[in-house]
Every structure is written in structure tokens, then in C-alpha cells.
Amino acid sequence: MLEQDRFLHGFALLLCICLGSLLSGIAVSEIPLGSKLSVGESNSWVSSNGDFAIGFYNFPDQPKQFSVGIRFNSKSVPVDKQTVVWVAGGDVTVGNNSYFQLQENGQLVLFDALQGEEVWTSKTSQLSVALAVLRDDGNLVLLNENRDVIWQSFDSPTDTLLPGQRLSTFRTLRAASQNYVSSLYSLYMNVSGQLQLRWESSIIYWSAGRPSHSNLSAVLSSDGSLQLVAPNLERFWSVFGEDHNDTVRFRFLRLDVDGNLRLYSWMEVSQTWRSVWQAVENQCNVFATCDQQGICAFNASGSHVCTCPFHHAVQSNSKCLVSSQHDCKPGSIMVEHANMFLYGIYPVHDFISLTSLDKCKSMCLSDPSCTAVTFTNDGSAKCRMMKTQYVSGYSDPSLSATSFVKRCSDPLAADPIFPLKSPPQAYKEPYNICIPCLVGAASGTIFVFIVIQLGMGFYLYKRKNIYRRLASLAHSRPGSKCLIILSFTEIKELTGNFSDQIGPKMFKGALPDKQPVAVKELEGTIEARKFRAAVSKVGNIYHKGLAKLEGYCCEFDHRYLVYEYAENGSLDKYIENPTLAERLTWRKRMDISLSVGRAIFYLHTECREFLCHGNLKCENVVLDENFEAKVKEFGLGMLYGEASSRRASAQKDVEDFGKMVLTLVSGFKEVKDVLDWAYKEWMEGNPENVVDKRLKNEVDAEELECALRIAFWCLQADERVKPSMGEVVKVLEGTLPADPPPPPFSCLISAREVEDTSESGSEYIMWRAFSG
């Protein structure tokens, strides 16, 4: 029933931990100010009972990248089974000679010697910390002179809960970022008292508890049960492991990299960690469990496998994508897959309608953007239509679902290749050979050839070392978490000496593996230490709605960022160009709004630390080859010393997002010039007058109303009534209603409403009923 050791051996238990002869740990009851752990010395701090230790460790595939974390340390647990249960900074890694220190000012600091920067801190320098203690339960705490807890690792979990540790409201466990897929999985405790497994923030594929209780926490008990409890310890929900109440010395709950939540117990007899409970019994029911590798199914041995059943799928780089060739000259056909349920993952927005099986098939055939459909009939006949190449799902003989995948009726018809006929032979006149002419031509050709070869040889020799180093830096791509550090000479090589400019201070380039990149030039006056610290933080962030930072250059007065390349360029050129604007259909504009909203929401709430964009606008949203939106240049405010409160930074992003939504609706780039007019038209019942005139008769009236309301709320002058990005996303998803907003640049709130707002937040004013 349970996969007992698979992911333990595949991830945490294969960590190359500096132990034994390489690690000296001293059991101490107190850790005084000034204490330091370093990669070079391989030392550690150990709990008084010896069960836990904190120190540096690394992964076998990244021998020069280290993290600092708390792990099991008991002598009864073999070295290769001493699982890491907490990591400072989550996914932050550092190089050789780095250190982790409790500074004299009471702040824990992780310092990366390679970058010469602090990459994580406990932010306790002003809180009168007197000492630290690694407690016997695995909790690292900072205490003041009165022994009060100032900070504790239990309050900032990574992917694991230990017995006694609570996951309180709005807290999150996030699966380790072993690859870009696992970082999208999270365990979240919502305000309504539900414990949820989520993919990104929009898909909930498992939940526990009823949405009727607030202020609950999830806690793992020492007897092997996971519970939802109130502050007074009243239990509202619980589940038990197979060895509940058995004598087990060590347990932990972890969100594994495959998106499943499992409870593990240490088996003394077999000397292994055993999974005694998992949240999702059928692994194929974990959303996107196969991601881009196809469909989840079970083999004869009962293990889940990922297969690609699309015989005419586009398969490159191990991806299993459905066909996107919709210009088939002889027409398309629907290939049937019985007992199979499909869904789109990039994006996740499928179109569901109530109809018959035949109608479901014909709807997809007649829609050029449709790639696949799934028909189910579990009491009501439903048709799920996908409009993306990125399709996943699961297959099982017991499933009462039938899927159809579109492909060309003749696979070669979309791009036919005809044999070329030889041209007719012309009549050849006899001619005489000029021997001296041939000798002269041959000599000249040889001379030119030698010169060219010498020139090419010198050029290739010059580039050889650069490309060899780039290739070694990117040896683990695509999947490496390491940023590529480039010299200015290498930046010039990648961009062809900045020959292809694609935007203001933005150039197209290519890595040695032919992957295109976008290179952004920044001001050379940015302080080097600040620059390296910022890119280190941004480089560890992964989300499909965010443009990935591949590398950077910080050499002398040169500052460059290297991003993944988006084939269709920035959003602003589609707004400004009348011809390109036709490609921005109403549906696509709404999809872009939702995608950008989710990306900003991720930065605000689902990263290890809060991060704002600071400069959200159409120029900083790019469209990839599938016309999916990606936000770039996020977090650059750190480079320019823009210090502001978390609330103020978040509200700046909310306001900028409102401007972007209004731009997408109206087609006007300068929103401040049309805001009053747009609000007036909406108030007078003429929202259609605000819509971009280049759009055809395709606007959905309900979506238009929703988009305008959320834009006007985001642009409110009174910051107390602005929504959070989480609320914005829910409105755009259609899961949360919004009241008609007051004028954006007016402050029409009574004193009583202000008082209520300060007590209950913007939700009091904004989210009541979708009237009007």
C-alpha cells in the first residue's frame, strides 16, 4: 500500500552529509553568541540528548554546493539514514569556506564565501538574543536573558514537521526544489481550518478537515497521529499511522518531492525509515504527478509509471506533449483513449461543459485551439476541453472516463515533403580548357583557404576556453539550481557582441547548448555585494509564471542578468502594435491577467521569504512560444536599495497589477489618462465602451465586469481597502465575489468603515456579494 523507502533513498537519505571522520559534533546545552559552524571545519551543534544536530551537508550531484540544516543524529540511526528535517533559507546553497554563525548581535547568519554575502538571516539582531539552544525535539531556538523564545526553527518549517511542531494558519510546507516540478507542491493550512495539498496555489488535490473552524493548526503527535487542533488543544480531525501507539523512537511528517504527504517511522529492527501513512493513497491522483512525461498508470507490480500514449505526440527532451498542428490540410481526427482522464497543466484552466460524448468530440474538432477532451458521466455528462500541449492525467481500467486527443488525419499532411525532380539536362557545347587559368585559380583558392583556416583556428581557440567553462558551469542543466557566473567577455560571446537587441538594454544570446537566453544590462554602479546577494535570492525562485534567472555577470563595472528567453517577446509590443494586438484575444488577455496574478501572489506568500516585484508593467511580462505569460525582472528593487515595509511593497505590486489589467482590457498603455473615464463608463452601465476596440465581438460580459472591478479595487487611493494578491487571484479565478468599488482616486469611507476595516482588513469592504 505504501512506498516505504523509495523517496527516502531517492532524496534525503542519499544526501552526502559530512559525518563520521569528516564531522565533529559536540553535545552542548547552550550555544553562546559568536559560535560558528563552517564548511571547512565540518563541525556541528548537537542537542543535549544527541538525537539531533545542525551542520552543513550537500548532495551527491552537487559536491561543491552546501546547505545548513538540522538532521537526525542518534547513534541508533546509520549515517546514510540521518534525514535532514529543516534547512536554513529553504533552497539556499553556499560554496566552500562558507559559515553559519550566531553573531554577537543575536542574529543567525548564513554567509556564502563564494559570493561574499549573507544569503540568509534570522532577522533577530534587534531582539536582545542572549543564546541559542538546539532542543532535544529538534527545535533550534533563540532565547533572551529571561529564557523567552525569540525565534525558533519550528515556526519556519521547510518540508518536514517533527512531533510537537505546529503548522499554523497561513503556514506552508514546500516540497524540496529537487526539480522545478516539486517546488510547485505545498501543504497549506488555510484560515477556514482546512489542511490542503496544493499544486501552485490554484489546484487543491487533497484536503483534511471541514471548512467551518478557524485558527486551527496541524500537529504531529509523538504517538503517530496527524491532528488538526484548536489553541485550547481541542481536536477537530485526526488520522493515524499504521504503527499508532507503537513504541517508536523517531517519527516525522514530510511533503515529498512527488507531491505526496507521508508519515515516516524509524524501524529499529530493519534499520530503515518506513512510510506508515500517506495522504493520497493512489499516487496517480496527485496532480501533475507525471508533469510533462505523460500519463500516470500502474504496472503489473503495482508501482506507478509515466507513459506517453500519444503516438503522434511531439516528443523532445523527454517531454510528452500532444500535437499542436492545427493547420492540417486534410483535416484532423480524434484518437480515442478509453479509461483515461486528462487535464491541462500549463495552464490549468480547462473548459468544462455539460454535453454528450459525440458533442464533446465535435466541439474539439471545430475549435482550432482545442488539443484534447475528456468525457465523463458520473451522474452528469461532462466534457473537459484542453487548449494546451501540456496535458497530463491518469489511466486505469476502473475509470469511467474516455479521452480524445486531436491529431492530423495524415501526420505528413501538415508539412508535406515532396521528392525533388532533377532539372532537365541542357545541351552541352564543347569547350577548350585553359591550363594556365586553372593553375592560377587553384593557387589563389589554396592561399585564401589557408588564410581562412588560420583565422578560424585562432577564433575557435579564443572561444574554446570560454565555451568549455560555460559548459562546465551548466553541466547539470536543465535542472541545476546553480546560477551561471559569467565574465563580461563571456557575455559578449553569448550575445554576439550585443548584436541582437530585443528591448531597452535587453539582448538576445545563446548558451553553448544552443538554448536562447535574454541578457539584461543593469547600471554598473550597483554595489557588487548587494548585486550578488540579490541574484542569489532571485536565482532560487522557480515558478512557471516567472522568467527563470539562468546566470549573471558582476565584473568591474559590468552588471548583467541572464534570463530564459521568451520566443514572443514582451507584452507591451502587442498592446502598442495594431497588427500584433489581434493576437491578444479576450481569452488570452484574461489568461495573462490570471497568470501574472498567480506569479505575483507566489512572490508575496509562497517563497521562503517575502519578495515583491516593485516594477510590474507590460514591458516586464514576456510571452513564450505557447503565448503563456512570464514575469521578469522581479525583485530588482533590492539592487537599488529600495527599502519599504512589506505591506507597502505588496500594495505597490497590487496597484501596478490593477494598471496592467486595465491596460489589457482597454488597450491604453497610460492608464492614468483613462482611469476616470473608464470608471465613469462602468458606473453608467457601459463597460463595453472601455474594451479595446481592436477586439472583435468575443468579450465575455461577466469576465469584463470581474476584470474592471478588480482593477478599480487595486487602484484605490485608500491603501486600507486594497485587496491582497491572494484575494485578487481568487476573484479572477471566480472563487471569490467582489463588491462594486468606489471611485479609485476618492476616499469615500466613513469613519465607522475605517474602524471596521482596521479590525478585519480589506475583506470587510471588498468581498461581500457580486452585485450590480
Side-chain angles (χ1 to χ4, degrees):
M1 179 181 70
L2 300 172
E3 298 180 57
Q4 298 180 359
D5 298 313
R6 179 174 183 180
F7 292 98
L8 287 169
H9 292 287
F11 174 54
L13 299 183
L14 286 181
L15 293 176
C16 185
I17 304 176
C18 300
L19 296 167
S21 61
L22 298 178
L23 181 65
S24 56
I26 301 175
V28 292
S29 57
E30 297 182 354
I31 303 168
L33 299 180
S35 299
K36 180 189 290 187
L37 303 174
S38 65
V39 173
E41 296 180 6
S42 299
N43 51 345
S44 65
W45 299 329
V46 183
S47 61
S48 60
N49 63 0
D51 286 346
F52 293 93
I54 181 170
F56 283 96
Y57 69 93
N58 62 1
F59 294 90
D61 61 341
Q62 293 180 331
K64 296 183 179 180
Q65 293 290 317
F66 298 86
S67 296
V68 63
I70 299 172
R71 56 172 174 80
F72 286 101
N73 188 62
S74 172
K75 293 181 179 179
S76 64
V77 181
V79 169
D80 64 336
K81 304 294 178 66
Q82 293 181 350
T83 303
V84 174
V85 296
W86 179 81
V87 182
D91 301 323
V92 174
T93 58
V94 295
N96 283 319
N97 301 317
S98 300
Y99 63 82
F100 183 68
Q101 184 178 27
L102 177 59
Q103 295 180 329
E104 295 292 343
N105 62 7
Q107 182 165 254
L108 286 169
V109 169
L110 178 58
F111 183 86
D112 186 4
L114 182 64
Q115 300 184 36
E117 280 291 336
E118 297 174 356
V119 295
W120 178 85
T121 72
S122 60
K123 299 180 181 179
T124 53
S125 60
Q126 306 296 322
L127 301 180
S128 302
V129 172
L131 74 158
V133 175
L134 179 58
R135 290 180 169 171
D136 291 346
D137 57 0
N139 189 14
L140 178 65
V141 298
L142 301 182
L143 308 174
N144 61 17
E145 291 184 352
N146 296 325
R147 315 292 288 193
D148 299 322
V149 175
I150 302 300
W151 177 93
Q152 57 182 340
S153 61
F154 270 18
D155 284 343
S156 56
T158 48
D159 63 350
T160 302
L161 287 183
L162 290 170
Q165 185 176 4
R166 288 173 175 258
L167 187 71
S168 55
T169 303
F170 301 127
R171 297 287 184 181
T172 299
L173 292 188
R174 184 166 298 282
S177 296
Q178 204 171 20
N179 54 60
Y180 75 98
V181 180
S182 60
S183 64
L184 299 180
Y185 290 117
S186 63
L187 178 70
Y188 179 73
M189 190 72 216
N190 74 5
V191 70
S192 301
Q194 276 193 311
L195 188 64
Q196 300 172 336
L197 282 175
R198 307 190 303 180
W199 190 81
E200 287 195 308
S201 59
S202 56
I203 299 297
I204 300 171
Y205 56 91
W206 177 87
S207 63
R210 291 178 296 178
S212 56
H213 304 285
S214 59
N215 201 24
L216 298 186
S217 299
V219 62
L220 175 63
S221 68
S222 59
D223 62 1
S225 65
L226 176 62
Q227 305 172 2
L228 296 183
V229 298
N232 62 2
L233 300 184
E234 181 183 359
R235 188 168 61 188
F236 287 87
W237 175 88
S238 62
V239 67
F240 304 95
E242 294 177 356
D243 60 353
H244 173 61
N245 281 332
D246 289 354
T247 302
V248 176
R249 187 175 179 185
F250 300 119
R251 304 180 192 271
F252 66 87
L253 181 79
R254 186 173 65 197
L255 178 55
D256 283 323
V257 296
D258 64 352
N260 216 331
L261 182 68
R262 293 182 176 90
L263 172 60
Y264 291 97
S265 297
W266 176 248
M267 302 290 103
E268 293 285 356
V269 176
S270 61
Q271 291 284 282
T272 58
W273 291 102
R274 177 187 172 213
S275 175
V276 295
W277 173 83
Q278 68 181 34
V280 185
E281 194 65 34
N282 184 343
Q283 182 62 34
C284 288
N285 288 334
V286 173
F287 190 85
T289 193
C290 286
D291 191 50
Q292 300 175 34
Q293 274 67 54
I295 307 303
C296 183
F298 285 87
N299 58 22
S301 63
S303 300
H304 81 275
V305 293
C306 295
T307 62
C308 186
F310 316 130
H311 299 296
H312 293 277
V314 179
Q315 299 186 45
S316 60
N317 299 325
S318 301
K319 294 182 180 179
C320 177
L321 311 181
V322 300
S323 174
S324 63
Q325 298 175 343
H326 303 315
D327 55 347
C328 305
K329 294 180 180 179
S332 301
I333 61 172
M334 302 299 290
V335 180
E336 181 176 347
H337 298 276
N339 309 117
M340 182 182 293
F341 187 92
L342 300 178
Y343 49 79
I345 53 176
Y346 303 117
V348 296
H349 182 61
D350 294 341
F351 301 86
I352 301 175
S353 57
L354 301 178
T355 186
S356 65
L357 185 146
D358 291 337
K359 182 64 174 177
C360 186
K361 288 173 56 179
S362 62
M363 286 169 56
C364 187
L365 276 172
S366 61
D367 188 337
S369 61
C370 176
T371 56
V373 289
T374 290
F375 177 80
T376 57
N377 193 347
D378 51 1
S380 60
K382 293 181 181 178
C383 178
R384 174 182 295 266
M385 181 184 295
M386 287 136 271
K387 297 186 177 183
T388 175
Q389 281 186 275
Y390 299 94
V391 171
S392 189
Y394 50 93
S395 176
D396 188 273
S398 63
L399 278 178
S400 59
T402 303
S403 295
F404 300 90
V405 177
K406 182 191 289 185
R407 70 171 176 86
C408 291
S409 56
D410 181 355
L412 298 179
D415 188 20
I417 301 174
F418 299 101
L420 298 176
K421 295 181 179 180
S422 300
Q425 295 294 320
Y427 174 72
K428 299 180 180 179
E429 294 286 348
Y431 55 89
N432 296 321
I433 298 176
C434 177
I435 300 300
C437 298
L438 289 177
V439 173
S443 300
T445 301
I446 292 174
F447 176 76
V448 173
F449 178 76
I450 292 174
V451 171
I452 292 175
Q453 289 298 308
L454 289 174
M456 289 182 63
F458 177 76
Y459 177 72
L460 292 174
Y461 176 78
K462 181 180 177 181
R463 292 166 61 98
K464 182 178 181 181
N465 289 335
I466 294 176
Y467 271 37
R468 179 182 298 167
R469 197 186 79 83
L470 288 176
S472 65
L473 285 171
H475 74 280
S476 57
R477 303 182 69 254
S480 171
K481 296 189 295 180
C482 303
L483 289 175
I484 304 174
I485 305 174
L486 303 165
S487 67
F488 180 63
T489 301
E490 291 164 342
I491 289 290
K492 290 200 296 183
E493 290 288 342
L494 295 181
T495 59
N497 201 21
F498 308 103
S499 59
D500 189 358
Q501 186 166 0
I502 56 178
K505 294 187 176 182
M506 183 73 76
F507 305 89
K508 184 179 180 181
L511 296 176
D513 60 2
K514 307 300 182 183
Q515 178 188 348
V517 291
V519 179
K520 173 73 174 181
E521 180 183 5
L522 301 178
E523 295 179 10
T525 56
I526 300 173
E527 184 183 349
R529 295 178 60 187
K530 184 181 295 184
F531 180 81
R532 292 191 180 98
V535 297
S536 176
K537 179 181 291 186
V538 172
N540 278 299
I541 295 175
Y542 301 90
H543 186 274
K544 77 178 187 67
L546 298 171
K548 181 183 177 184
L549 183 65
E550 302 281 4
Y552 68 93
C553 169
C554 183
E555 183 181 80
F556 303 113
D557 59 346
H558 301 296
R559 305 289 183 268
Y560 291 89
L561 297 176
V562 181
Y563 288 99
E564 66 172 308
Y565 179 71
E567 185 67 34
N568 284 306
S570 61
L571 177 61
D572 66 310
K573 73 177 184 181
Y574 290 85
I575 296 293
E576 296 174 345
N577 189 302
T579 302
L580 293 177
E582 295 180 0
R583 299 184 61 186
L584 281 182
T585 63
W586 176 258
R587 175 77 272 132
K588 180 53 62 179
R589 296 183 192 214
M590 292 300 97
D591 288 344
I592 290 173
S593 298
L594 183 55
S595 180
V596 173
R598 286 171 174 168
I600 302 302
F601 173 62
Y602 181 87
L603 291 176
H604 286 189
T605 64
E606 300 198 6
C607 292
R608 299 294 185 189
E609 297 182 36
F610 170 84
L611 191 67
C612 71
H613 189 288
N615 192 28
L616 183 62
K617 53 186 178 180
C618 291
E619 291 92 326
N620 288 332
V621 175
V622 292
L623 305 173
D624 65 13
E625 65 275 10
N626 297 312
F627 234 66
E628 302 296 335
K630 289 181 179 289
V631 179
K632 67 175 183 177
E633 298 187 28
F634 50 91
L636 298 192
M638 295 182 289
L639 299 178
Y640 300 99
E642 297 174 3
S644 58
S645 69
R646 172 171 177 170
R647 177 180 176 84
S649 299
Q651 289 179 345
K652 172 67 165 56
D653 282 351
V654 169
E655 180 178 329
D656 289 343
F657 180 78
K659 293 178 181 178
M660 179 178 295
V661 172
L662 195 53
T663 294
L664 286 168
V665 170
S666 66
F668 291 102
K669 190 174 180 181
E670 296 300 328
V671 171
K672 63 181 181 181
D673 298 334
V674 300
L675 180 56
D676 291 335
W677 164 79
Y679 184 82
K680 180 175 180 293
E681 291 289 343
W682 172 77
M683 280 293 293
E684 293 176 355
N686 303 312
E688 67 278 359
N689 292 345
V690 182
V691 176
D692 191 342
K693 299 301 184 288
R694 296 169 295 186
L695 286 171
K696 309 301 180 185
N697 297 325
E698 54 177 312
V699 178
D700 183 286
E702 185 175 344
E703 288 182 334
L704 173 60
E705 179 74 12
C706 174
L708 288 176
R709 288 191 181 193
I710 199 61
F712 295 145
W713 274 116
C714 290
L715 293 168
Q716 290 296 307
D718 190 336
E719 295 182 348
R720 293 167 297 182
V721 301
K722 284 183 179 178
S724 68
M725 282 309 301
E727 293 166 330
V728 168
V729 169
K730 288 181 179 179
V731 171
L732 293 176
E733 290 175 339
T735 60
L736 188 66
D739 267 358
F745 291 121
S746 299
C747 200
L748 305 176
I749 306 175
S750 68
R752 176 59 188 163
E753 286 179 314
V754 169
E755 181 180 345
D756 291 341
T757 303
S758 65
E759 296 176 357
S760 58
S762 62
E763 189 169 348
Y764 171 78
I765 294 180
M766 185 174 177
W767 319 115
R768 292 195 293 268
F770 211 158
S771 59

